Structure formats: C-alpha cells, structure tokens
Amino acid sequence: MSLSGVEQMQPALEALASSRAVPDWLLDLREAGSKAVLRDGLPTRSMESWKYTNLSPLLEGTWEVAEDFASDELPPRTQFPSWMSASSGEVGLLNGVLVSEWTRVPARVRVCTSVQLESSPVRVSSANGFVGSGLSASRVWSPISGTPEKHIAQLSLNAAFMRDLIVIDFEPGTVMREPLVISSFAFGTESLTKWSAVAPRVIVNVPVGCEVAIVEMAAGEGRTVAMPVTHINVAKGSRVSHARFNLTQDSGVQLGYTQIALARDAFCETYQFSLGGRISREDLEIRLNESGSEAVLDGLYLADGRRHVDHSTSVEHVAPHTLSSQLYKGILNDESRAVFNGRVRIHKDAQQVNAAQLNNNLLLSKRAEVDTKPELEIDADDVKASHGATIGQIDPEHVFYLRARAIPEAEAVKMLANGFAQDIAFRIRNEAIRAGAEKIVATKLGGTRAQV
Amino acid sequence: MANLLEITNLHANVDGKPVLKGLNLKVEPGSVHAIMGPNGAGKSTLSKVIAGHPAYEVTEGSMKFEVNFKMKDLLEMEPDERARDGVFMAFQYPVEVPGVSNETFLRTSFNSISKAQGAEEMNEEQFRKFLQKKMELVSMDPKFLDRAVNTGFSGGEKKRNEILQMAVLSPRLAILDETDSGLDIDALRIVADGVNKLKSPDNAVVLITHYQRLLDYIVPDFVHVLADGKIIETGDKSLALKLEEKGYDWLLQ
C-alpha cells in the first residue's frame, strides 16, 4: 500500500534537506520530522481524528517548498486588515521566514531566528519531532512540555517543512494590552499541479509578571499548504490574550496547531477565527499544568462554497483547581462542512476542576453539514464538566421581529448571522483584539444570504 | 374623515384552524381603540395578521391601509413594507435577539424607514442624539443601548423597549398587543405616558388588552369586544368599566 502523499511530498523534503543555512539542532529536528512524514504520510480518513476531513486535494500535484524572496522583492500583503495599526508591534513572516522589513517590536520584546539563538532551545522527541523541554538555560526560557503520547500530524509536517524557528520573548513584568501581531503570509504557486508548503514555527515565552496580547494573522495567496505551529508558554501568574485569525484565500489549505501551556495561577484567553481556506484544520491544545490556572478558549468559523473547516481542541487539566471554558460557534452556508471535536481530559488527582464546553452551529443552507463531537475523559472524582452542541437554522420568529421593524428580510438574515457570530467577538476581554475581531467578522459576513 | 385602517370581513387561519371569522374594524386617524375579549378570542391573531406574520393565513376579507391618501392593500405587502409605511406592532412577547445591539437594531430600523420615505439616513452620532430624547420619554437607562436586543431584559424592560421602538419609528398606526400585561403600576405609567406623548391627530393607536387598568391611563375613544373571531360589541370607554365589573358572559349569551 502506498502511503498517502509521500510521493508528492518527497521531492520537496529532499530539496529542503540540502538547505543548510540553519543550526545543526534545527537540521536534526527537520530530519526527525521528515522521517515521520515519510513513515506516516498525510493523515487519512481512516484515522479517528481525521475521520471527517479529507486531505485528498493535497494529493493533486507535487509539493514544493514555498519560494524565498529577496528583501527588495517582497510581495504586497493586501489581505491583512488595517486594524493592525492598533498593535504594539509586528513580527512579519513570509513563507515561514522572518522578514525584517515587516518586523518592528517594542523594547520589551525580543525576537530571534534559529541562527540568532545562543544555543539549542529544543529537544527532538522521536515521536513527533516536537519542540520539547530540556532547553538550555537562557534567561528568558521556560520549558514547554510536549505530549509524546499523542501523534499529531501537523507537528511532524511542520517540523519536516520548517524553514526556520522564531522565538519571541517578552521581558518579565511586561504589561502591554495592545497586541503584538504575528503576521504570517504564505505566497505560493498558481500552478494547478503544485502545492507550496509553508511551515512557520513560533515559540512565544511569556515570563512572570506579564499581561500581554498576541494576535496571529495568517493569510495566503495561491496554492499554499500552510502548516503553522505556535507554542505559547505562560509563566506563573501571567495573563495572555491571544487570537488566531485564518484569512487564507480559498485556494489555500491550512493545517495548524497551537499549544498553550499554563503555569500556576496563569490565565489565558484564546480565540480562533477560521474565516478562510479551502480546507482549514486547527488543533488547539491547552495544558493547565499547575494549580490555579485558567483558560478561556473560544472560536468562530465561517464557511461557504465548498469550504471545509475542522477544529480539534484538547484541554488537559493536569493539575487540580484549574478552569477551562470553551465556546465554538460556526455559520455554514452553501455546501460547506464543519467539524468540531472537543476533547477535555481531567487527569488523575486533578480535583476541583471546572470544565465547560459548548459548540453552536448555524446552518444557512440545507446542503451544509456539521459533525460535532465532545470527548470527556475524567480520571478524577471531584470535578464539574459539561458539554453541549447545537445545530440550528435562523429562527423565523427573529426574522419576523426584525421585519416588523421595517428591516428587509435579506438585511434581517445578515444582522442575525452577524449577531450569532459577533457573540464570540463580544466575549474577548482585550479591547484592541475585540474591536479588530468585530470588524473582521462584520466584513466577512457582509455578503451573507440564507438559502433556507 | 377617511379611515387609516379598514378591515372588512377578515377570516384568518392559524395552523389550518380558523381563528378570525369575519372581523370588521375601522380606525380613524387621531383615535384610540381598545380591543378586549376573553382568552382565545383572536386578539393576538389580529395584531399578527395586521403586522403580516407569515404563519397566519388570511382566507377571506380585506385589510386596507391609507398611504398618501390612497388605500393600499396590506395583504399584498410584506411585513417590512408594512412597517415602512407606518404600521407598528408592539409584541406581546418581544423576541430576544442575541448578538445584535439594541442601538444598531434601532438605527437600522429607523434608517430603513427613512430610506423608504426618501429622507436622509442618520449616522451613528446623529442617531444617538435623537435616541437620547426618545429614551427619556420612556425613562430608559442608556446602558440598554449597548446590550443585545431584549436579551436578558426583564419583562417590564422588554415592554418599555417596544415603546422606545415605537417612539423612534413614529408609526401612523400602532398596535399594542397586551403591552400592559405583566407590568407593575410604575412601569404601566411609564408605558402609558410614552404612548400618550406620541398621540397626534395623524396617527392612531389600537390597544389590545385584558385589563381595564391600562385604560385609566390611556383613554380610548372606542372599546371593542372581540369574541370567537369577530367584534361583537363596540362602545365608548364606559364599556370597558362594564366589562371589568360584569365580565364577558352577558355579551356571549
């Protein structure tokens, strides 16, 4: 049996292996990733965690590593919304590589590429090619623990196609409510027989005494397959507001992974806005590693045409007295399809845990489809855990109420869909992120119409 | 004087079941009508049929509404068209619309009417000023503007929000469907004050109510009794007092 995608990916992996302008430890990491990819291939629907997501479009064409751009030939980034001007700074990536022309960061933030790192920050785990613990003791590092027990395809893929690794360190005690924007632009081939692989890997360290905001913006043009992986480490007592926007064009595919690890009494709110791409799969892993930590993880997905959007969340309550709450909402139109898999695991001895999960879907077309599945694994006995899912259509009584107030039917549907979606934006505690999210969502829903 | 609303021999079904069975009603501009009647008589159906709710099917009769000195057929008009021409129904159970802010809702509604009438639409700033005056009319806290429409509002707040909408839209025909039910006496006074301040020789109010109590505050020119889908008795305000005292049985026999 031939493995899915190996033949298509192999030439690009070989080309990348010969590119050596990175430290040895990165080469090792890439090699481990490459081995895993050649061994396992792309995920297929026979795997439980990929049951509803078909990656066969990625087999239509050979893969290439997305091209390099000289600093004086950078492509225009027209897709990024202007609200980024409300940011505290930007870390700009193009095809997974840091672009200094697009990067400006405040004094309390340090950005390093792999060659700028003093020493190896990584340990290569044989299972995943995972950036793991065992870091050399640089002053701003705190380790991020991996999950070698789980096989995560995006991690291997990212490691295999990684051009560079970017580390962002906040200084301890940084309070910065305007977000630092990490913009990741994928610029790929227009050829219908090719895919351009882009694999940004970013590690963000938020040490003690911080209150910071981070926004990730992903956009792409052309036939790109973006495999962005982000790790965020939140140290004891620190607070992070984080949002990840996927604004990829419909020609692109995104297979992303985000891991956020929280130490004692740390807080994180994280929001995923999956608004673009032909196929979009986002895995989010939250690790509540120490007692008193809390995470809010909400998400919004909007799909139309034949787009496919898949979210897989995994909340690990490792320690007692930890809280998590998640609300994912989606609006599906035309023949689009959404998948939500929400896993909550409460480890043994993680008592006094509270975990809530909800997934609400609004279907604007009879041909749209949603598969939603909660997964609770509870190994402690003194916990509160709840989950729920709804799939519905726009309530005709709501439409009538708006029409009775002179609002035309099409406008009423648009307002109601916007209201359903903005509910997620309204929940964002960080003001700058909330304002930006509201605008992006309203713009995205500007042309909404129901076909029911 | 010409009528604002003329309903003739109106029959309407809900889920295939006849509820209105030959109802006649004429409403002149400047008048206040009260419609009373036992439960299940068809009072709420009447208000929904006038507003154009799609679940109510008119099987016979006509419903005409004066627009620019011409009688237009309401039955031919979509609910939002009716609203743009000046028909307003205050809902008995106002709908909660999560995610849509009250202010955006009011502005969109107001501007839809302005646009239809060829008037200039208001921007956010202009509208907020205009809205402030209207809110004072119904003693409403500005914090309700940022909240989602009716979401988490108490019963009384929802009813007041309906009257606020009425004040903003200045309809020519306002139908208040049991706006008084569930209100304490203070809220009732506020609602009644709001309605009284909006009365003018050009517009008309139809109050659908169970209780005479509201009519102490909004004095009707006509009181109608609706029973079994028809208006069976019409009188002046003294009829309401008689109903309060004697109930409906003497009329139904």
Side-chain angles (χ1 to χ4, degrees):
Chain A
M1 191 188 88
S2 69
L3 281 160
S4 176
V6 166
E7 198 184 306
Q8 287 85 346
M9 292 187 285
Q10 197 151 23
L13 291 171
E14 279 166 13
L16 201 52
S18 62
S19 135
R20 306 196 63 88
V22 289
D24 287 346
W25 57 262
L26 188 68
L27 287 177
D28 291 346
L29 180 58
R30 200 190 275 159
E31 196 187 326
S34 182
K35 266 186 194 155
V37 167
L38 293 174
R39 185 191 64 216
D40 304 329
L42 285 171
T44 64
R45 295 183 60 190
S46 62
M47 295 164 69
E48 183 61 28
S49 57
W50 291 83
K51 198 170 162 187
Y52 301 105
T53 297
N54 181 359
L55 294 183
S56 66
L58 292 176
L59 307 179
E60 295 159 12
T62 49
W63 290 33
E64 58 175 29
V65 178
E67 84 180 284
D68 254 342
F69 288 88
S71 61
D72 55 350
E73 285 174 353
L74 297 171
R77 300 185 299 163
T78 46
Q79 286 183 59
F80 282 105
S82 57
W83 72 275
M84 287 202 308
S85 56
S87 67
S88 62
E90 180 178 358
V91 176
L93 307 180
L94 173 59
N95 290 347
V97 177
L98 188 78
V99 177
S100 53
E101 284 76 6
W102 292 348
T103 300
R104 51 169 187 94
V105 294
R108 301 184 69 91
V109 178
R110 194 182 74 143
V111 180
C112 284
T113 61
S114 60
V115 290
Q116 290 164 332
L117 286 168
E118 291 152 15
S119 54
S120 164
V122 294
R123 182 195 63 180
V124 180
S125 133
S126 55
N128 284 326
F130 194 82
V131 176
S133 56
L135 308 169
S136 67
S138 157
R139 59 210 178 297
V140 282
W141 275 118
S142 62
I144 190 158
S145 59
T147 49
E149 74 271 18
K150 275 193 295 180
H151 176 86
I152 293 167
Q154 293 98 306
L155 286 173
S156 312
L157 283 164
N158 173 280
F161 287 97
M162 186 194 299
R163 295 284 305 278
D164 200 355
L165 178 144
I166 316 295
V167 178
I168 301 171
D169 290 303
F170 287 89
E171 265 181 38
T174 303
V175 175
M176 213 164 63
R177 294 194 183 90
E178 296 210 311
L180 179 71
V181 176
I182 303 168
S183 59
S184 177
F185 193 74
F187 198 84
T189 176
E190 298 295 333
S191 161
L192 294 176
T193 58
K194 283 187 175 141
W195 284 102
S196 299
V198 177
R201 167 98 51 148
V202 178
I203 299 174
V204 184
N205 289 306
V206 181
V208 291
C210 286
E211 186 174 343
V212 299
I214 302 155
V215 166
E216 294 185 83
M217 284 277 175
E221 268 178 40
R223 299 234 313 166
T224 53
V225 45
M227 299 160 283
V229 170
T230 302
H231 308 272
I232 301 175
N233 243 333
V234 191
K236 186 176 161 186
S238 281
R239 301 175 71 82
V240 171
S241 295
H242 169 250
R244 182 161 162 120
F245 292 88
N246 178 1
L247 302 166
T248 305
Q249 281 190 355
D250 284 357
S251 50
V253 169
Q254 176 148 317
L255 309 173
Y257 176 86
T258 308
Q259 187 194 50
I260 303 176
L262 292 103
R264 189 179 180 86
D265 299 327
F267 170 81
C268 178
E269 55 166 348
T270 178
Y271 302 87
Q272 287 186 306
F273 289 87
S274 296
L275 311 176
R278 174 176 171 180
I279 300 171
S280 164
R281 160 80 179 227
E282 285 286 348
D283 285 29
L284 170 65
E285 182 180 352
I286 302 280
R287 296 188 68 82
L288 297 155
N289 284 331
E290 291 177 8
S291 127
S293 53
E294 177 184 356
V296 172
L297 49 150
D298 295 342
L300 175 71
Y301 42 92
L302 305 176
D304 55 7
R306 305 198 61 173
R307 294 180 42 222
H308 181 102
V309 50
D310 179 351
H311 283 276
S312 178
T313 66
S314 174
V315 181
E316 301 278 349
H317 285 268
V318 181
H321 300 283
T322 49
L323 301 174
S324 71
S325 86
Q326 49 184 322
L327 173 63
Y328 271 73
K329 290 180 106 170
I331 302 181
L332 286 299
N333 209 338
D334 305 321
E335 292 167 67
S336 63
R337 197 159 174 193
V339 183
F340 177 78
N341 190 90
R343 178 171 173 272
V344 175
R345 182 167 168 222
I346 301 175
H347 292 232
K348 191 169 171 283
D349 301 328
Q351 307 295 0
Q352 304 267 307
V353 157
N354 197 329
Q357 181 190 88
L358 192 57
N359 175 227
N360 296 328
N361 296 280
L362 182 60
L363 300 189
L364 296 180
S365 152
K366 289 194 170 102
R367 290 163 297 152
E369 195 178 323
V370 176
D371 293 286
T372 175
K373 189 174 108 195
E375 243 183 281
L376 294 180
E377 291 172 40
I378 303 176
D379 294 325
D381 47 29
D382 183 16
V383 301
K384 274 186 200 155
S386 65
H387 64 81
T390 64
I391 299 171
Q393 293 166 355
I394 283 193
D395 186 338
E397 291 300 324
H398 288 179
V399 177
F400 176 66
Y401 189 63
L402 269 59
R403 294 184 78 188
R405 297 295 175 261
I407 300 168
E409 188 173 17
E411 179 83 12
V413 167
K414 205 191 291 178
M415 278 179 87
L416 292 167
N418 192 57
F420 178 88
Q422 292 291 12
D423 187 25
I424 295 295
F426 289 164
R427 296 162 70 90
I428 303 177
R429 302 183 195 186
N430 180 280
E431 258 175 63
I433 301 180
R434 184 173 62 237
E438 280 175 31
K439 270 190 215 164
I440 291 176
V441 171
T443 308
K444 271 283 164 188
L445 284 171
T448 301
R449 73 279 168 227
Q451 311 171 341
V452 184
Chain B
M1 198 191 287
N3 288 316
L4 187 60
L5 176 72
E6 284 177 11
I7 298 176
T8 312
N9 189 32
L10 187 71
H11 291 251
N13 289 357
V14 183
D15 294 330
K17 216 180 88 198
V19 178
L20 297 183
K21 302 166 185 173
L23 183 140
N24 296 296
L25 179 68
K26 289 187 170 60
V27 178
E28 287 181 357
S31 63
V32 176
H33 293 245
I35 296 179
M36 303 180 77
N39 280 329
K43 299 191 300 294
S44 280
T45 299
L46 175 63
S47 68
K48 293 228 166 97
V49 167
I50 297 173
H53 195 294
Y56 296 74
E57 186 200 355
V58 173
T59 52
E60 208 183 320
S62 72
M63 201 161 62
K64 302 252 159 80
F65 184 65
E66 184 267 319
V67 180
N68 293 327
F69 310 108
K70 281 184 198 140
M71 296 310 281
K72 269 174 101 170
D73 186 357
L74 275 185
L75 298 177
E76 291 293 310
M77 294 159 72
E78 295 292 326
D80 43 300
E81 288 178 73
R82 299 181 197 197
R84 288 194 290 273
D85 273 336
V87 177
F88 179 92
M89 177 188 53
F91 282 58
Q92 184 181 2
Y93 303 110
V95 178
E96 296 194 1
V97 191
V100 177
S101 89
N102 217 14
E103 184 172 357
T104 306
F105 169 62
L106 285 163
R107 193 177 62 244
T108 310
S109 174
F110 178 85
N111 280 338
S112 299
I113 292 177
S114 300
K115 203 167 138 192
Q117 293 172 347
E120 203 154 315
E121 296 180 39
M122 282 194 201
N123 65 27
E124 288 181 33
E125 202 181 318
Q126 292 165 323
F127 187 74
R128 190 154 256 233
K129 273 190 192 151
F130 165 78
L131 196 51
Q132 257 157 11
K133 290 193 198 120
K134 302 291 179 184
M135 298 206 44
E136 285 164 20
L137 204 65
V138 291
S139 313
M140 212 160 159
D141 194 309
K143 73 173 190 236
F144 286 103
L145 291 182
D146 292 331
R147 285 172 54 182
V149 180
N150 295 328
T151 307
F153 288 27
S154 72
E157 287 162 353
K158 283 181 185 168
K159 296 291 173 83
R160 243 189 282 175
N161 206 25
E162 293 292 292
I163 301 305
L164 173 65
Q165 291 167 27
M166 179 177 140
V168 166
L169 302 179
S170 325
R172 293 165 57 241
L173 173 67
I175 302 139
L176 275 57
D177 187 3
E178 302 204 15
T179 300
D180 54 331
S181 61
L183 292 188
D184 62 31
I185 199 73
D186 293 331
L188 187 71
R189 259 193 212 122
I190 289 165
V191 165
D193 276 359
V195 173
N196 285 328
K197 282 178 191 152
L198 292 164
K199 271 201 305 188
S200 88
D202 302 321
N203 60 31
V205 179
V206 176
L207 306 166
I208 291 173
T209 182
H210 265 298
Y211 308 105
Q212 196 274 332
R213 181 173 81 131
L214 176 68
L215 308 180
D216 289 340
Y217 299 95
I218 309 173
V219 181
D221 301 302
F222 301 95
V223 173
H224 309 276
V225 176
L226 175 57
D228 194 27
K230 279 186 235 176
I231 290 190
I232 56 164
E233 183 81 15
T234 295
D236 61 13
K237 61 182 179 188
S238 64
L239 177 57
L241 293 166
K242 200 168 167 188
L243 292 169
E244 180 87 346
E245 191 189 325
K246 293 181 154 183
Y248 294 103
D249 289 350
W250 62 281
L251 279 169
L252 299 175
Q253 278 151 17

